Amino acid sequence: MKHLLSIHDLTDTDLEAVLATAEEMHDVQSRPVKKLPALRGRTVVNLFFEDSTRTRSSFELAAKWLSADAINVSAKGSSVSKGESMKDTLLTLDAMGVDAIVMRHAGSGAVAQAANWVRASMINAGDGTHEHPTQALLDAHAMLRHFRNHDLGTLEGKRVVIVGDLLHSRVVRSNVALLPRLGASVALVAPRTLLPAGVDTWGVEVTTELDDVLPEADVAMMLRVQRERMQGGFFPSEREYIAGYGLTGTRLASMRPTAVIAHPGPMNRGLEISSDAADSARAIVLDQVSAGVAVRMSVLYHLLAGNE
Ligand code: CP
């Protein structure tokens, strides 16, 4: 595996290996001394053209805990703000001899385009509304750990309900590509205005009625309402959005006793998710954050050291 641009890049063997290594990395993460020598001498650049807290910091920690050198380059504060193109920025970093570039960009397909220009391994850290493959991998890893730790089995036969701003979400596209491969069934829920064109061809259930599917969910994955990508009125008011699609205290009470709540973050508390839900014992939101470091350690390991 040279690049990770999409969940579709992973064969079943790759997928099994990435998730298995993430389990081993998770154990390293909880040790007092976290350093492994696996990527000593390698260099990873985080190149972010969009803001991030979780993805950028977890990739940086992942690289450092594997003993790689890691640097961060943001569009803000780099020569991009002086007008340098994405291609010249990539060629510049590549010419320094870096081994991997973790890139986030507002353009769908931008990271795949970048992979044609550079010698380094490219990792997609979110490209427009296309994909966020390491987010789906960490979501799966967090769910699998939760189910295993609670004697609830695996993802096989589990029902994952993904709710909210599907139109602007790259997380949903990666999860729809991944979760059925792990045996889960997926139901997508959104108001009609936030359903992507062609969603009916994605091969999963689609509905506008959250209350019809939430009581049967094993996982309710709430998606952020991406106000920064919305120019028009996608719903009449926040109050109406909450009434139809918010994970309120009442909806929380309608869920199965063993069901959990996931959110890729950042959360809009009081909009797609109430604080009752976000702070409840059922929420695995911070487990997802922890899983992010383990999964990104695994991905870096398999891309940069996997063949050795
Ligand atoms: N989930 C996610 O990608 O979060 P960040 O935008 O903080 O990286």
Side-chain angles (χ1 to χ4, degrees), residues 23-65:
E23 274 303 326
E24 293 178 40
M25 296 302 178
H26 213 114
D27 294 339
V28 172
Q29 198 181 339
S30 44
R31 289 187 201 156
V33 177
K34 298 171 177 69
K35 283 271 186 189
L36 293 177
L39 296 185
R40 192 184 290 149
R42 305 301 177 95
T43 306
V44 177
V45 178
N46 277 330
L47 174 60
F48 277 60
F49 293 87
E50 282 190 334
D51 295 341
S52 168
T53 298
R54 279 148 282 268
T55 311
R56 186 168 56 187
S57 51
S58 60
F59 264 115
E60 185 177 354
L61 281 178
K64 287 180 171 168
W65 288 352

Side-chain angles (χ1 to χ4, degrees), residues 41-308:
R42 305 301 177 95
T43 306
V44 177
V45 178
N46 277 330
L47 174 60
F48 277 60
F49 293 87
E50 282 190 334
D51 295 341
S52 168
T53 298
R54 279 148 282 268
T55 311
R56 186 168 56 187
S57 51
S58 60
F59 264 115
E60 185 177 354
L61 281 178
K64 287 180 171 168
W65 288 352
L66 290 171
S67 302
D69 293 307
I71 62 163
N72 292 312
V73 178
S74 301
K76 288 174 209 155
S78 75
S79 290
V80 172
S81 62
K82 299 179 199 165
E84 188 162 53
S85 69
M86 180 181 101
K87 183 172 183 178
D88 284 333
T89 304
L90 282 152
L91 293 177
T92 299
L93 294 170
D94 201 46
M96 292 179 193
V98 304
D99 298 290
I101 300 175
V102 178
M103 179 171 149
R104 172 172 288 187
H105 196 280
S108 301
V111 189
Q113 174 71 289
N116 295 321
W117 296 330
V118 298
R119 173 208 39 79
S121 288
M122 291 299 307
I123 301 173
N124 184 356
D127 61 328
T129 59
H130 173 227
E131 274 218 41
H132 192 351
T134 57
Q135 178 69 46
L137 289 166
L138 76 85
D139 292 339
H141 177 70
M143 291 179 216
L144 286 166
R145 278 181 73 86
H146 176 88
F147 293 142
R148 197 184 57 226
N149 292 342
H150 292 80
D151 293 326
L152 294 169
T154 65
L155 272 163
E156 194 66 50
K158 296 292 191 303
R159 185 153 173 78
V160 181
V161 173
I162 306 180
V163 188
D165 185 357
L166 306 179
L167 181 64
H168 301 106
S169 177
R170 47 201 177 208
V171 174
V172 72
R173 287 163 177 80
S174 290
N175 267 299
V176 165
L178 178 63
L179 290 172
R181 288 175 65 181
L182 298 172
S185 69
V186 174
L188 303 180
V189 190
R192 228 166 263 292
T193 49
L194 289 174
L195 288 174
V199 70
D200 293 338
T201 65
W202 290 10
V204 296
E205 186 184 337
V206 181
T207 175
T208 56
E209 301 303 321
L210 176 57
D211 296 318
D212 287 355
V213 291
L214 191 63
E216 303 301 321
D218 295 293
V219 180
M221 184 185 292
M222 308 309 294
L223 297 179
R224 183 170 69 88
V225 174
Q226 299 193 34
R227 294 182 178 107
E228 75 279 14
R229 297 191 207 272
M230 292 183 184
Q231 262 113 46
F234 286 88
F235 44 85
S237 67
E238 292 197 349
R239 185 187 292 208
E240 287 190 52
Y241 185 85
I242 295 164
Y245 302 97
L247 188 53
T248 58
T250 309
R251 288 206 170 99
L252 188 60
S254 78
M255 293 177 67
R256 283 178 172 163
T258 54
V260 294
I261 300 156
H263 193 306
M267 296 185 282
N268 290 312
R269 283 175 182 256
L271 184 52
E272 72 267 4
I273 188 166
S274 64
S275 281
D276 284 350
D279 298 330
S280 81
R282 292 159 172 275
I284 60 165
V285 178
L286 294 177
D287 298 331
Q288 292 172 270
V289 176
S290 304
V293 184
V295 160
R296 286 160 181 148
M297 287 174 82
S298 172
V299 166
L300 288 173
Y301 175 79
H302 282 284
L303 287 180
L304 299 183
N307 295 331
E308 290 174 7

